[in-house]
Amino acid sequence: MSHPLITQVLWTLDRGGVERMVFELAKRLPEHGFRIRVVVAGGGGVMDDEFRAAHIPLALGPAVGQWQRGQTLRFLRRELRAHYPSVWHTHLGGDVWGGLAARLEGVHPWIATVHDVQHQSFLKGVMRGRALRAADQVVCVSDAVRRHLASTYERTRDVSVIRLGVESHENSRPTSVERRLQRFVVVGRLVPDKRVQVLIEALAAIREPWALCVVGDGVERGRLETLVHTLKLRPRVHFAGSVADVRPFLLEADACLFASREEGQGLAVLEAAAAGIPVITSDLPALRELFDEYSMMFVPNNADARLWTEAIQTTMYAPREAQVRAHEAQTIVRKRCSIERMVKEYVELYSKLIV
């Protein structure tokens, strides 16, 4: 009997948390006796080459506008007929059209992993709700997402939680506890909800020496670079762009800043914690499931730049306390958010559903 085929379906291969999660899962599934295929419904992205270099079979759909989704649906149905999967596993933007293709082709089991807590426009909300209620199994990346799923889409049956996983390394560089913290890093897509502008404005109010590295790319980059120029911060702020490995940037920093408005889990926070550096973060329900004031510095959600300035300065002048929190957060991530644990739980789910 051939190895079961697990097909992962997502919308693009931009470098976001969903794409990176699928990449790590797809790399490891063959070790557990599965074949893997990744279907990208809306076209490729910056991670195309990384998937190919890892020998992960890719199928890229047409990059078309919202009024040409018929082409997307036809592509997905052709893919299903040509490579009928043992499990059809959709993620985020792949749920609606990937789910519709699965229903039209009679594909079971279909698993949908929900990564976000965002509220959609009316039409998108109706379409996504219909898709998520039809899936054979729904996986949420946090309890916060599960609550959102129940309240927004009224899906409560056959729902489980499998948290995102990150790599743990024994050689994490501990921050010195003898000097003031001054090197900060932001990791993530540069979109409005990440609120990087607030962090730049908060740092601008600090007179003491500091430096900020912004790792990621997106539609906000041009506006953020203009802000940096206007505030005369160019020597202090570096835009690294989209990178394949964020770990070296984390290990060069004294602390990670995370001002996102809402998150299903917050992969950047988990990666920073795994690297052993202090984190100052928005107070988000998904992060509160794992961390408390003994492991992270929390700032009220949607706080303005003034409150962020206060939190950053407090951390700058208390390096010993910050490193104690970082050590606690690192221990939590290693116990509850390892990649090995995430893969194991998906393997168990796939095996249970395949008949």
Side-chain angles (χ1 to χ4, degrees), residues 7 9 38 46 49 54 58 72 89 115 127 147 150-151 160 184 196 233 249 252 271 286 291 297 345-346 355:
T7 299
V9 186
V38 173
V46 296
D49 291 341
L58 275 181
T72 302
H89 187 172
H115 297 255
M127 293 176 67
R147 291 192 296 272
S151 63
S160 57
F184 301 98
V196 178
L233 299 176
F249 295 90
E252 284 294 318
E271 290 176 321
F291 308 106
M297 169 74 78
E345 292 184 17
Y346 272 114
V355 292

Side-chain angles (χ1 to χ4, degrees), residues 92-163:
L92 204 57
D95 291 341
V96 172
W97 298 102
L100 179 56
R103 297 201 302 276
L104 291 174
E105 295 296 325
V107 173
H108 298 281
W110 161 31
I111 300 173
T113 291
V114 184
H115 297 255
D116 67 316
V117 292
Q118 292 182 346
H119 290 277
Q120 309 286 331
S121 66
F122 176 76
L123 180 58
K124 288 183 178 179
V126 169
M127 293 176 67
R128 194 176 187 205
R130 183 176 298 170
L132 293 176
R133 287 190 293 272
D136 296 304
Q137 178 79 31
V138 176
V139 177
C140 300
V141 298
S142 67
D143 288 318
V145 172
R146 177 158 58 180
R147 291 192 296 272
H148 175 75
L149 180 75
S151 63
T152 305
Y153 301 114
E154 300 178 347
R155 173 69 190 249
T156 56
R157 62 172 181 81
D158 298 320
V159 177
S160 57
V161 173
I162 299 180
R163 300 186 187 279

Side-chain angles (χ1 to χ4, degrees), residues 147-199:
R147 291 192 296 272
H148 175 75
L149 180 75
S151 63
T152 305
Y153 301 114
E154 300 178 347
R155 173 69 190 249
T156 56
R157 62 172 181 81
D158 298 320
V159 177
S160 57
V161 173
I162 299 180
R163 300 186 187 279
L164 300 178
V166 295
E167 288 193 82
S168 297
H169 300 271
E170 295 301 325
N171 61 340
S172 300
R173 179 191 59 75
T175 303
S176 170
V177 296
E178 303 302 329
R179 64 172 178 83
R180 180 171 54 81
L181 308 185
Q182 60 185 37
R183 298 174 299 182
F184 301 98
V185 65
V186 172
V187 177
R189 292 178 299 114
L190 301 186
V191 295
D193 277 353
K194 300 298 182 180
R195 304 180 76 233
V196 178
Q197 175 179 338
V198 173
L199 297 176

Side-chain angles (χ1 to χ4, degrees), residues 42-117:
V46 296
M47 291 189 71
D48 287 8
D49 291 341
E50 290 167 57
F51 274 77
R52 292 192 175 100
H55 306 291
I56 298 171
L58 275 181
L60 303 182
V64 296
Q66 61 178 337
W67 304 113
Q68 299 170 296
R69 293 292 189 247
Q71 295 183 42
T72 302
L73 182 60
R74 287 192 291 274
F75 159 75
L76 291 168
R77 296 186 71 178
R78 287 196 302 270
E79 177 65 29
L80 278 168
R81 294 166 188 167
H83 304 276
Y84 197 91
S86 301
V87 174
W88 183 252
H89 187 172
T90 63
H91 301 264
L92 204 57
D95 291 341
V96 172
W97 298 102
L100 179 56
R103 297 201 302 276
L104 291 174
E105 295 296 325
V107 173
H108 298 281
W110 161 31
I111 300 173
T113 291
V114 184
H115 297 255
D116 67 316
V117 292

Side-chain angles (χ1 to χ4, degrees), residues 4-8 29 34-37 85-87 89 350 354:
L5 173 64
I6 310 298
T7 299
Q8 307 284 338
L29 284 176
F34 296 101
R35 290 179 295 133
I36 186 70
R37 188 170 179 83
S86 301
V87 174
H89 187 172
Y350 295 151
I354 293 173

